[in-house]
Amino acid sequence: MTDLSTIAAISTPLGTGGVGIIRISGKCATEIADKIFVSVSGKNLADSKGYRAHFGKIFDGENAVDEAVCLVFRAPHSYTGEDVVEINCHGGVFLMKKILRLALQNGAQAAAPGEFTKRAFLNGKLDLSEAESVMTLISAQGEQGANAAFNQLEGRLSKKIEKINSSLLSVAAHIAAWVDYPDDEIEELGENELKNTIINANLEIKKLLSSFDSGMAVTSGVETAIVGKPNVGKSTLMNLLTGYDRSIVTEIEGTTRDVVEETVDLNGCLLRISDTAGMRETGDLVEKLGVERSRKKLERAAIVFAVFDSSKPLSDEDMELIDECKSKNVIPIINKTDLDQILDVDYIKNQLGEPIYISAKNGDGYDLLCDRVSDLLGTKNFDTTSAILINERQRICCQKAESALSDAENALNIGLTPDAIGVCIDDAIAALLELTGQKASEAVVDEVFKQFCVGK
Ligand code: GDP
């Protein structure tokens, strides 16, 4: 086990609550806790076994500060794999900060973001992809996302990668032995066996890559922009999707002068929706800035809801919008279907594909829109128990492995020598080991844990 200093942090949110937890992890965890905590039983935490709870009081010198229950965990049977004390005190911001300060004054170091989980990783309690799923699980906003993240924490992805890697490692080892000891009686690997191993491994990786978008949709959310000229009903649609009056709705054009953002759960798909200011030429400086921001949102969005007003003829602004959206993953939305239709829908259909007809005002068409979104993101039959990639880092590692294995397939097809094929397989293995963290550089590991919150 890695020998590091003892760290402490508040592990519950900094707010008023029934209980607040200050976590101390490291070799001196119980000794430090003993300096600020006196149990009613008179027993020292340093003499305690693991998985024990002790009731007592927290002291600042002579003065009792709060009642608390201290949970003791002994290495390696703790979250971090080290000795851990969790002080459960009353959940007040001042109180939690005070108790943390007492722990720091008595020898603990302030924990960096994600340092508890980083230690768990360094102590072999979980691999890098499992550690990342902790963060995804904490920030999950929907049932499917939480389930999927939990299953990755349970090792779905890690096990799949391990399986792919072990098949690659066995052929790589065979090739290496054959190349290194040509005089020995090492049997050359049959071409079919080699080919099958490479093709099967590559297929599995391709499958993981293809589920990336739907995995992201259920765990982290997809950037979505609602665009359209002023007054087509963008804000009304935003409010329908969020379920409350998030955006201001008026008949006055240019009311939404900035981008309004919200995360919504549409049948298990998480959309990070931006209701943009209507795209139009304007002399108003504030509105102009809003329109610029809207354009940027449109550029970055993974999905675009392009909204049109069914009760008005197609205008130049609509045409411009159609041009801007053509290259995007767009869902054309014909709004205000409760009014008489004047709009030339065929033109929109030709340019952007089959539209969804809705009345944002009374909610008609809402289910159709949800269905279209899940079709687009492939989340309809999403299996939360399968192995999925949950972030860009993991995707890039898989992409590298896929490209190395495709090179290996090509090398085999054009009849290159086994050592050339071995190099490609080694590259694929290295990429997969980077994914699980078994061979990730310190910089990569640091970067992963930097994304965490303090106390986790
Ligand atoms: P935005 O400028 O595109 O955000 O449009 P708003 O959402 O502010 O709506 C502009 C006007 O259209 C408001 O008076 C809304 O009540 C009205 N509106 C929006 N959606 C509908 C709809 O589905 N049917 C009808 N009849 N009116 C709508």
Side-chain angles (χ1 to χ4, degrees):
M1 204 183 345
T2 324
D3 194 9
L4 299 157
S5 61
T6 300
I7 49 168
I10 298 167
S11 281
T12 40
L14 256 194
T16 310
V19 177
I21 298 177
I22 292 94
R23 190 191 255 164
I24 309 174
S25 177
K27 237 180 172 175
C28 305
T30 51
E31 284 79 4
I32 291 170
D34 273 333
K35 290 185 185 158
I36 61 174
F37 173 79
V38 178
S39 70
V40 288
S41 66
K43 284 186 189 145
N44 280 336
L45 300 180
D47 302 325
S48 170
K49 287 185 177 163
Y51 299 132
R52 294 287 189 278
H54 302 262
F55 176 64
K57 283 183 184 156
I58 299 288
F59 280 86
D60 177 4
E62 299 289 298
N63 300 323
V65 174
D66 191 16
E67 289 182 333
V69 173
C70 284
L71 301 179
V72 176
F73 302 85
R74 288 294 181 188
H77 306 294
S78 70
Y79 181 68
T80 57
E82 304 174 324
D83 281 352
V84 169
V85 176
E86 284 183 1
I87 303 174
N88 290 244
C89 60
H90 288 108
V93 176
F94 171 77
L95 206 51
M96 288 190 281
K97 282 188 174 171
K98 182 168 179 91
I99 296 172
L100 172 63
R101 196 163 354 122
L102 289 172
L104 300 180
Q105 283 164 353
N106 282 282
Q109 308 271 322
E115 198 169 354
F116 293 101
T117 311
K118 184 177 180 181
R119 288 184 176 204
F121 164 69
L122 294 175
N123 289 326
K125 303 286 288 186
L126 31 69
D127 74 16
L128 204 54
S129 68
E130 288 164 346
E132 286 172 318
S133 59
V134 171
M135 201 56 202
T136 310
L137 182 58
I138 296 173
S139 44
Q141 299 197 24
E143 184 87 28
Q144 279 198 318
N147 273 343
F150 180 67
N151 277 304
Q152 309 320 306
L153 176 59
E154 292 282 279
R156 295 287 159 148
L157 177 63
S158 311
K159 285 189 189 115
K160 168 139 279 180
I161 298 290
E162 206 178 288
K163 202 167 153 211
I164 300 171
N165 240 348
S166 79
S167 70
L168 291 175
L169 276 167
S170 74
V171 293
H174 200 107
I175 291 176
W178 188 78
V179 170
D180 289 346
Y181 307 104
D183 300 333
D184 290 5
E185 296 280 300
I186 296 168
E187 215 180 300
E188 191 181 350
L189 203 61
E191 195 176 315
N192 270 348
E193 192 186 341
L194 182 58
K195 201 171 195 168
N196 284 342
T197 306
I198 295 171
I199 289 176
N200 287 338
N202 210 4
L203 275 179
E204 290 292 333
I205 290 169
K206 283 187 170 130
K207 225 193 278 172
L208 281 175
L209 283 167
S210 70
S211 68
F212 179 69
D213 283 345
S214 30
M216 287 298 278
V218 298
T219 55
S220 308
V222 174
E223 289 291 341
T224 307
I226 305 180
V227 295
K229 69 181 181 191
N231 253 358
V232 291
K234 298 180 297 298
S235 300
T236 311
L237 174 61
M238 177 75 161
N239 293 343
L240 173 72
L241 297 175
T242 55
Y244 70 103
D245 288 347
R246 180 67 178 85
S247 295
I248 300 167
V249 174
T250 72
E251 290 160 7
I252 307 157
E253 293 194 354
T255 317
T256 309
R257 291 152 74 100
D258 199 355
V259 177
V260 178
E261 293 174 310
E262 193 71 42
T263 301
V264 302
D265 182 346
L266 240 58
N267 286 357
C269 292
L270 275 191
L271 301 185
R272 293 202 300 275
I273 303 189
S274 310
D275 171 16
T276 66
M279 311 268 201
R280 64 166 184 177
E281 293 305 320
T282 171
D284 181 309
L285 183 64
V286 180
E287 197 184 341
K288 210 175 197 152
L289 290 173
V291 172
E292 261 168 43
R293 280 206 203 182
S294 304
R295 288 234 145 75
K296 285 208 180 102
K297 281 282 168 197
L298 173 61
E299 276 164 29
R300 260 189 259 137
I303 298 186
V304 175
F305 291 164
V307 187
F308 302 91
D309 186 340
S310 167
S311 67
K312 299 264 165 59
L314 209 58
S315 67
D316 289 347
E317 283 165 309
D318 289 321
M319 302 283 218
E320 268 175 42
L321 182 74
I322 289 172
D323 273 346
E324 282 186 77
C325 291
K326 257 188 206 160
S327 57
K328 311 277 313 177
N329 224 350
V330 61
I331 300 182
I333 295 176
I334 311 298
N335 188 33
K336 306 195 189 180
T337 50
D338 53 299
L339 303 177
D340 288 340
Q341 185 187 315
I342 295 172
L343 187 71
D344 178 4
V345 176
D346 282 342
Y347 181 79
I348 297 173
K349 218 188 262 187
N350 281 336
Q351 299 295 314
L352 302 179
E354 193 58 45
I356 297 284
Y357 296 86
I358 67 164
S359 166
K361 199 169 187 173
N362 64 26
D364 287 351
Y366 172 83
D367 290 341
L368 295 174
L369 181 59
C370 292
D371 281 350
R372 175 68 75 83
V373 169
S374 22
D375 279 347
L376 198 68
L377 294 170
T379 53
K380 202 166 236 165
N381 300 313
F382 186 76
D383 177 9
T384 54
T385 62
S386 62
I388 55 162
L389 306 173
I390 52 169
N391 59 36
E392 193 56 20
R393 185 193 74 82
Q394 297 179 359
R395 194 192 65 77
I396 290 171
C397 290
C398 270
Q399 193 78 66
K400 280 191 213 160
E402 192 266 341
S403 137
L405 289 176
S406 298
D407 287 349
E409 271 183 64
N410 288 337
L412 204 61
N413 288 337
I414 58 172
L416 290 188
T417 52
D419 52 336
I421 298 160
V423 170
C424 300
I425 296 178
D426 287 347
D427 285 350
I429 292 170
L432 296 177
L433 290 178
E434 185 176 337
L435 194 157
T436 55
Q438 285 155 283
K439 234 182 160 182
S441 69
E442 214 177 313
V444 167
V445 172
D446 286 349
E447 196 52 43
V448 166
F449 289 102
K450 243 200 263 163
Q451 327 276 339
F452 277 57
C453 43
V454 174
K456 188 63 224 162

